Amino acid sequence: MKSEDYRSKIEDLLEPQTYKLLKKDPTALIVRNTNRLIKASSLPEHLKSKLINSEAQPPRLYGLPKIHKASVPLRPIVSAPGSPTYNLAKYLTTILQPKVGNTNSYVKDSTHFVQKLKDIKLEPSDIMVSFDVVSLFTRVPLGESMDLIKESFPPDIAELFRVCLTGSYFLWNGNYYEQTEGVAMGSPISPIIANFFMERFEEKALESSVLKPAVWFRYVDDTFVVWKHGRDSLDDFLHHLNSQSPSIKFTMETEVNNQLAFLDVLVKRNGDLLDHTVYRKPTHTDRYLHKLSNHHPSQKQGIIGTLANRARRICANEHIQEELSHLNKAFLANGYNDREIKAALAPRQRRPDANEQENIINKAFLPYVSQVTDRIGKVLKKHNIKTIYKPTRKIRDCLRPAKDKREPLSSAGIYRIPCSCGSVYIGITKRSVETRLTEHKRNCRLG
C-alpha cells in the first residue's frame, strides 16, 4: 500500500463524531488524574505503587489492512503500552474478567465453540445465521457500560474504570486526538468491556424478541445462530437487534451450500448434526515462514506443530487427515522437506509441568545467528536460563513505520555517559532516558 493511500485511509477513519482533534498533548494531565484516583482508591498500597505512573508516552494510532475486504480498508489500532492508563487497564481487566463469560452464549475460542456444537441437532428447515456487530469497539456506549460497572464495583474502583474508558486518546501524524465514543482497539481493557456490555445487550435483546433463536453463541462481536422460524422472519429479527441501541448495529450472513464460517471454523450440515473443519478466507495464500528464513529451527517447527494442533482441536475426526494433508502440501511449498513436516505434524508431547517450569529461573533474549546464539542457548539451558531467539532483521525494518516516531531518549533503557575525567558511567532506568540524564546533569551541577 502506498504511503499516501495509507494516510488517506487513516484520515477517513477519523470521523468527527468519534474522534476529536486536541490542541495539545494531554498525557501529563491524564497521568496526574490517573495517579490521583489510584492514590485515593481502596487498593492495597503495594498495588498502588505498581499502578502509579511516573512517566508515560502517548498512545499511537496505526492501521491494519483488511486484505480480505474490497478496497482494503484499515482497522484502527491504538498502540497503548507505556500510555498513562495502560498498567491500570491491565489490572482492571483481571478483576472484571470473572464477571464475564458466565452466560450460555459465551464462546471463549474456536475449541470451545466446537465443543458447544456437539449438542446441536438441526431440522431440515433450520437456518444457520451469523450476526456481526459493525465496528463494535468504537460503538460501545460508554455511558451504559459505566452504569453496568457501577452496579458491579464500589465507587472508587468504578472511578478507575471511568478514567481508563474516558481517557482514550492517541497521536497520529503529529496531532493528538481524543476518542469520544467507544473503546480503543489496542487497550487491554477494551475486549473485556465490549464483552461485558454485549452480554447485557444480548440478554435484553433476546428476552424482548417475539421469535427467539434456537441457538445463540457469541464471540465478542460475532454470533453463530440457529434460526427455526423461516427465512422471512430473519429480517424482522435483524431489525429488532438493530433497534436496541442507537450505536450497536448488526449485519447478517446466512448459510451457503449448507455451510457457514464462524471464527476459523467452517460449520457444515451432516444430516441433523453439525460437522466442522478449519476455515480459511478466500484471500488465504498458505504462505508461512519459509524454511530458508533466518529463524531458529524450533520456531519453524512450532508453526507447523501449532497448525497441526489446531486441526486436531477444530476438525471433526473424519476431516483431520484431510487438513493434515493440506498442511503437508502447504509446507512443502514453503521449502520444508517431508521428514521435517512429518515430525512437526506428529501429535505433540506433553508440555512441561509446573515443577519443571519452576526450574527456569530467567530468560535471555538473543538475536538468532545460526551456529552461534543457538550454541549459547545450550549453555544457558544448563543454568536453567531459557533462551528466546529473535530474528536479526524483519521485513518491517525495511518499511516506513506506520506509527508516529518517538524521540530516541523518551523511552526507558540502558544509557552511557562519558565523563571529562575519562571514566564512563553506564546505567539502566525504567523511566525515560531523557529524564535520567537530566537528573545526572543536575546532580553534577549541585556537586
Side-chain angles (χ1 to χ4, degrees):
M1 183 182 296
K2 294 181 179 179
S3 297
E4 54 267 27
D5 293 337
Y6 175 81
R7 287 193 294 269
S8 176
K9 290 184 178 185
I10 288 285
E11 297 292 343
D12 290 341
L13 291 173
L14 300 178
E15 302 170 341
Q17 63 268 31
T18 305
Y19 302 103
K20 175 185 175 183
L21 180 64
L22 301 176
K23 294 181 179 180
K24 61 179 182 179
D25 181 2
T27 302
L29 177 61
I30 295 177
V31 167
R32 288 196 298 271
N33 289 339
T34 303
N35 288 347
R36 175 178 55 81
L37 291 173
I38 292 173
K39 291 176 182 178
S41 72
S42 57
L43 296 176
E45 291 300 323
H46 73 278
L47 183 56
K48 290 181 182 180
S49 63
K50 291 181 179 179
L51 298 179
I52 287 176
N53 232 325
S54 57
E55 292 191 26
Q57 297 286 339
R60 295 172 294 168
L61 176 72
Y62 66 99
L64 290 181
K66 300 180 183 179
I67 61 173
H68 59 286
K69 293 190 176 182
S71 75
V72 193
L74 297 179
R75 175 181 285 110
I77 305 293
V78 176
S79 179
S83 61
T85 60
Y86 184 74
N87 291 337
L88 178 60
K90 287 178 66 176
Y91 166 72
L92 294 178
T93 298
T94 64
I95 64 173
L96 182 57
Q97 183 65 62
K99 300 181 182 295
V100 176
N102 302 314
T103 63
N104 292 330
S105 65
Y106 175 74
V107 173
K108 180 181 179 181
D109 51 29
S110 299
T111 305
H112 186 211
F113 173 63
V114 167
Q115 292 171 349
K116 293 170 79 74
L117 291 180
K118 295 178 181 178
D119 300 326
I120 298 176
K121 288 192 175 183
L122 295 182
E123 298 293 336
S125 59
D126 291 347
I127 304 172
M128 292 188 294
V129 192
S130 177
F131 295 100
D132 186 16
V133 183
V134 178
S135 303
L136 173 61
F137 279 39
T138 56
R139 296 291 181 261
V140 173
L142 293 183
E144 294 180 48
S145 299
M146 277 306 306
D147 289 341
L148 296 173
I149 291 292
K150 291 175 182 177
E151 294 174 5
S152 304
F153 294 94
D156 62 319
I157 303 301
E159 274 297 290
L160 297 179
F161 277 98
R162 182 192 61 77
V163 75
C164 283
L165 296 180
T166 59
S168 296
Y169 76 105
F170 54 81
L171 173 65
W172 159 251
N173 201 24
N175 294 316
Y176 294 91
Y177 294 84
E178 177 187 2
Q179 183 172 332
T180 57
E181 293 184 357
V183 292
M185 187 176 291
S187 171
I189 203 171
S190 297
I192 194 74
I193 287 291
N195 247 331
F196 190 57
F197 168 78
M198 285 302 298
E199 286 187 353
R200 306 311 189 275
F201 174 93
E202 68 187 6
E203 179 183 7
K204 173 186 172 184
L206 295 178
E207 283 183 356
S208 59
S209 178
V210 177
L211 298 177
K212 296 176 172 53
V215 172
W216 174 281
F217 296 151
R218 182 183 54 80
Y219 178 83
V220 190
D221 61 347
D222 201 5
T223 65
F224 176 86
V225 173
V226 174
W227 187 254
K228 289 183 172 292
H229 310 292
R231 180 65 181 82
D232 293 341
S233 60
L234 262 178
D235 290 332
D236 292 335
F237 183 67
L238 175 63
H239 176 74
H240 172 74
L241 291 176
N242 288 337
S243 66
Q244 300 301 304
S245 170
S247 57
I248 302 298
K249 303 301 176 186
F250 288 81
T251 59
M252 180 177 69
E253 180 182 352
T254 56
E255 62 179 282
V256 177
N257 297 326
N258 294 324
Q259 56 188 28
L260 181 70
F262 181 77
L263 304 180
D264 58 347
V265 181
L266 184 63
V267 184
K268 305 178 181 181
R269 287 178 179 266
N270 183 9
D272 62 347
L273 300 177
L274 291 177
D275 218 348
H276 40 88
T277 187
V278 172
Y279 171 70
R280 294 179 176 85
K281 293 180 179 179
T283 52
H284 183 77
T285 62
D286 276 336
R287 182 70 61 85
Y288 298 105
L289 194 65
H290 197 274
K291 166 66 177 175
L292 298 179
S293 63
N294 186 43
H295 288 73
H296 192 271
S298 64
Q299 295 172 336
K300 300 173 186 177
Q301 293 289 300
I303 292 174
I304 306 176
T306 296
L307 292 173
N309 189 42
R310 180 180 71 160
R312 295 185 178 93
R313 287 187 293 104
I314 289 180
C315 296
N317 290 335
E318 57 268 30
H319 295 299
I320 292 177
Q321 192 54 50
E322 177 186 355
E323 175 63 18
L324 294 179
S325 297
H326 177 93
L327 293 175
N328 186 84
K329 181 179 178 180
F331 281 98
L332 282 172
N334 281 273
Y336 297 83
N337 60 48
D338 284 316
R339 181 183 58 81
E340 293 167 328
I341 298 172
K342 183 178 179 180
L345 290 179
R348 289 189 171 188
Q349 298 295 321
R350 178 184 62 86
R351 289 188 175 186
D353 60 26
N355 293 331
E356 292 173 343
Q357 292 283 12
E358 287 178 0
N359 292 331
I360 300 175
I361 59 175
N362 218 328
K363 295 179 181 179
F365 293 83
L366 298 178
Y368 177 65
V369 180
S370 181
Q371 303 300 315
V372 178
T373 50
D374 44 359
R375 293 182 179 180
I376 297 174
K378 291 179 180 179
V379 175
L380 294 176
K381 187 176 181 180
K382 295 178 181 178
H383 298 277
N384 296 326
I385 299 176
K386 182 179 180 179
T387 305
I388 309 297
Y389 299 99
K390 302 177 67 176
T392 54
R393 190 169 176 80
K394 300 179 181 179
I395 293 178
R396 73 170 59 177
D397 298 330
C398 305
L399 303 175
R400 178 178 295 181
K403 306 174 192 174
D404 284 55
K405 289 184 178 180
R406 285 178 172 168
E407 293 297 325
L409 300 181
S410 64
S411 301
I414 300 173
Y415 58 93
R416 177 180 182 273
I417 305 176
C419 182
S420 57
C421 68
S423 299
V424 172
Y425 179 83
I426 298 176
I428 184 171
T429 178
K430 293 183 178 180
R431 296 180 291 164
S432 72
V433 173
E434 183 178 22
T435 298
R436 197 70 186 97
L437 292 178
T438 301
E439 292 175 346
H440 278 296
K441 291 177 182 178
R442 184 178 67 247
N443 291 338
C444 289
R445 288 197 306 270
L446 298 176

